[in-house]
Amino acid sequence: MLKRSLSFTHDLLAQYVEKTDRTVDATAGNGKDTLFLARISEHVFAFDIQKEALERTRALLEKESVTNVTLIHDSHVNIPLHIHEDIKAAVFTLGYLPGGDKFLTTKASATVEAVENMLEILLPGGIIVIMVYPGHQEGKNEEEALTAFVKDLDKSLADVVRYQPLNRKDAPYPIIIEKRKEKTT
Ligand SMILES: C[S@@+](CC[C@H](N)C(=O)[O-])C[C@H]1O[C@@H](n2cnc3c(N)ncnc32)[C@H](O)[C@@H]1O
């Protein structure tokens, strides 16, 4: 049976990440991805621009007795300012905080800049998973900008795929970027 996008990405991340690796959740939100990454990696750096999102994430982690997470109240554009460690995997779940302010959604230009920055600091052989939500206008803008960005990525630096339902209109789907172990010609 075909996997739904979320279980597909979580299974994929679990294949890449080992318990000695460090990971990034670029959009903490309600903390579900942070919790998942915390369970499979040594340490997670989780970002969000909203205090409310970080509080929800903190509450979930406390409830689950998870302590290997650093919560960072800043835009994911600034990831390189906060992280000076090797990162094996990063997750971006685009859109707005469920039940929160819909205007505080991820935005195309910041998302592309953050993914570009993340790729710079990612370990060779690491992956970035970006869950795209094209069902609202800003999500469509992000889809367009991200697709243009990844199509232009040097193929000797990274491989890029997407896992997209084609017969369900505007269904969310992941774009996956794998940084190559060695730069090829
Ligand atoms: C769809 S939610 C994330 C869901 C979350 N991963 C989870 O598992 O519950 C998107 C989050 O991205 C945050 N966000 C928006 N722009 C951001 C930015 N520039 N940097 C970091 N987080 C941002 C929003 O505040 C929101 O909480």
Side-chain angles (χ1 to χ4, degrees):
M1 197 169 105
L2 285 172
K3 286 181 187 162
R4 293 280 176 198
S5 296
L6 187 67
S7 66
F8 173 82
T9 55
H10 281 187
D11 288 355
L12 188 72
L13 284 160
Q15 279 173 37
Y16 276 77
V17 175
E18 294 180 18
K19 204 56 193 150
T20 47
D21 289 326
R22 295 176 185 110
T23 56
V24 167
D25 184 353
T27 52
N30 282 326
K32 290 186 187 148
D33 292 321
T34 305
L35 178 63
F36 174 75
L37 289 172
R39 286 187 167 139
I40 61 167
S41 60
E42 182 185 80
H43 198 86
V44 189
F45 299 91
F47 291 77
D48 208 291
I49 49 167
Q50 292 192 67
K51 271 200 173 141
E52 187 186 342
L54 294 174
E55 285 315 317
R56 289 189 198 182
T57 300
R58 192 189 312 281
L60 179 64
L61 297 174
E62 273 174 20
K63 184 169 149 266
E64 298 293 329
S65 306
V66 167
T67 55
N68 56 333
V69 177
T70 304
L71 297 175
I72 301 166
H73 185 208
D74 198 0
S75 168
H76 40 225
V77 169
N78 295 324
I79 283 173
L81 298 181
H82 296 276
I83 299 180
H84 308 284
E85 330 227 356
D86 291 337
I87 300 296
K88 187 63 176 291
V91 176
F92 290 72
T93 299
L94 305 181
Y96 45 83
L97 185 64
D101 185 343
K102 290 192 178 177
F103 290 100
L104 293 174
T105 185
T106 53
K107 301 257 166 48
S109 63
T111 302
V112 171
E113 189 181 341
V115 171
E116 204 170 2
N117 290 345
M118 193 60 241
L119 197 51
E120 289 272 324
I121 65 165
L122 193 71
L123 276 172
I127 58 165
I128 303 175
V129 174
I130 310 155
M131 188 65 90
V132 181
Y133 282 78
H136 64 120
Q137 189 51 52
E138 190 51 47
K140 277 202 189 353
N141 299 345
E142 286 183 297
E143 176 180 51
E144 202 177 301
L146 271 171
T147 306
F149 168 71
V150 295
K151 277 191 173 166
D152 268 357
L153 268 180
D154 182 351
K155 65 179 186 323
S156 69
L157 174 70
D159 292 305
V160 188
V161 295
R162 68 182 167 204
Y163 183 74
Q164 183 176 19
L166 293 177
N167 60 348
R168 278 193 292 131
K169 196 173 180 299
D170 292 339
Y173 65 90
I175 292 176
I176 297 124
I177 305 174
E178 182 194 54
K179 187 167 175 175
R180 283 191 170 238
K181 288 205 169 109
E182 287 165 17
K183 219 169 181 273
T184 54
T185 48

